[in-house]
Amino acid sequence: MRWLLPRNLSMTPPRFDSSISRFLVTFPKHALLDTEVLRWNFVRAWPTKWEGPAFNGKGNDIAIRNITFTRSRVPDENGAVIRAEGRNLTVAESRFINNENGILAGDSPHSMISIADSTFIGNGKCGRSCAHGIYVGHIALLRITGSRFFDTKMGHHIKSRALRTELVDNEIQDGRTGTSSFLVDISNGGSLIMLNNVLQKGPESSNHSAAIVIGAEGVTQPTGEIIVSGNRFTNDQSRETIFVRNLTATEAVLKGNTFNGPVKPLSGDGSVQ
């Protein structure tokens, strides 16, 4: 099922205000092959209180598009706007602002998660456990394209235990005040393809050591290939940082990347071209 709301409509309940803008809000339900089977239209509607279910993706083949999510909080400090518990999730043209986790996905070995043209700003927190911009468990594929990650707090912008992670044409940046740990954490190994991304590690980063780390929590799955090509990386810290720390036995191929600031391109097996 796919839910569509105007981009300027937030799921955060506002205070009552007689001058609040009203919207035509449409909830279409789509079947296979993107065929619409049902539609709900709300005329001159405005958000007052969300009493529906949490956005828990317990089903399979779920698509979400053009929704803004903000301020997801839970008592254990590991809240998530979207919890993907089934198989296959697609997110497009959506915004995740000031949440604990933006997207949190559990283990589902045959699942594919695709995120396109979306924005993640000010997510992340380290309390009882750490929350991240995106955190996916052991799935088959995480693919993120054309998206922006900015000002993540304490956790990682992207944390993936996927067998294969593909990051293409994204912006992944701390900014001046972001306190993220790693820009990209490939926790247990697995193939990594990073092409044409803009990356920046900010002066307030909570972990100065590296931007991209592969295998930090033990290499427990096959790592077929590591290709990092055509990316632009800026280190705005006063101390040197490692661009790619490869803790696997698979040789990383770094090609055509550009660096600004004090940067060591590679630590571990591989080559820099």
Side-chain angles (χ1 to χ4, degrees), residues 86-100:
R87 185 180 66 250
N88 299 340
L89 169 68
T90 299
V91 177
E93 298 176 17
S94 293
R95 299 198 304 161
F96 300 76
I97 300 173
N98 191 19
N99 304 285
E100 289 172 342

Side-chain angles (χ1 to χ4, degrees), residues 194 228-233 243 253-259 273:
M194 291 188 64
V228 182
S229 177
N231 303 281
R232 288 183 289 153
F233 175 56
F243 179 49
V253 177
L254 278 61
K255 184 176 181 179
N257 302 289
T258 59
F259 306 105
Q273 305 172 27

Side-chain angles (χ1 to χ4, degrees), residues 23-183:
F23 304 88
L24 171 62
V25 180
T26 299
F27 290 89
K29 181 178 180 181
H30 290 255
L32 296 176
L33 303 179
D34 208 34
T35 302
E36 184 177 317
V37 295
L38 192 62
R39 175 180 288 260
W40 295 268
N41 292 321
F42 297 84
V43 180
R44 291 178 54 77
W46 70 98
T48 59
K49 185 177 181 182
W50 178 254
E51 294 183 337
F55 282 81
N56 285 352
K58 294 185 177 181
N60 298 324
D61 303 313
I62 293 174
I64 295 172
R65 182 173 181 177
N66 200 16
I67 301 183
T68 294
F69 302 94
T70 185
R71 294 191 62 79
S72 174
R73 304 281 192 275
V74 296
D76 70 2
E77 301 179 297
N78 195 34
V81 168
I82 298 174
R83 289 181 180 264
E85 299 178 9
R87 185 180 66 250
N88 299 340
L89 169 68
T90 299
V91 177
E93 298 176 17
S94 293
R95 299 198 304 161
F96 300 76
I97 300 173
N98 191 19
N99 304 285
E100 289 172 342
N101 289 283
I103 297 175
L104 180 61
D107 293 346
S108 182
H110 302 292
S111 180
M112 295 183 292
I113 294 178
S114 176
I115 299 163
D117 304 319
S118 294
T119 301
F120 297 75
I121 298 176
N123 303 291
K125 181 177 183 179
C126 283
R128 300 178 191 178
S129 59
C130 282
H132 312 277
I134 292 177
Y135 179 13
V136 304
H138 291 94
I139 64 173
L141 172 65
L142 171 64
R143 178 184 291 126
I144 305 175
T145 59
S147 295
R148 184 182 185 221
F149 296 78
F150 186 75
D151 196 28
T152 295
K153 308 299 184 184
M154 300 300 290
H156 310 305
H157 290 271
I158 298 169
K159 181 180 177 73
S160 174
R161 301 184 193 274
L163 186 62
R164 183 179 180 89
T165 300
E166 299 177 355
L167 308 176
V168 180
D169 294 328
N170 303 291
E171 296 181 14
I172 308 171
Q173 300 176 312
D174 288 335
R176 301 182 73 176
T177 60
T179 57
S180 79
S181 180
F182 301 141
L183 303 183

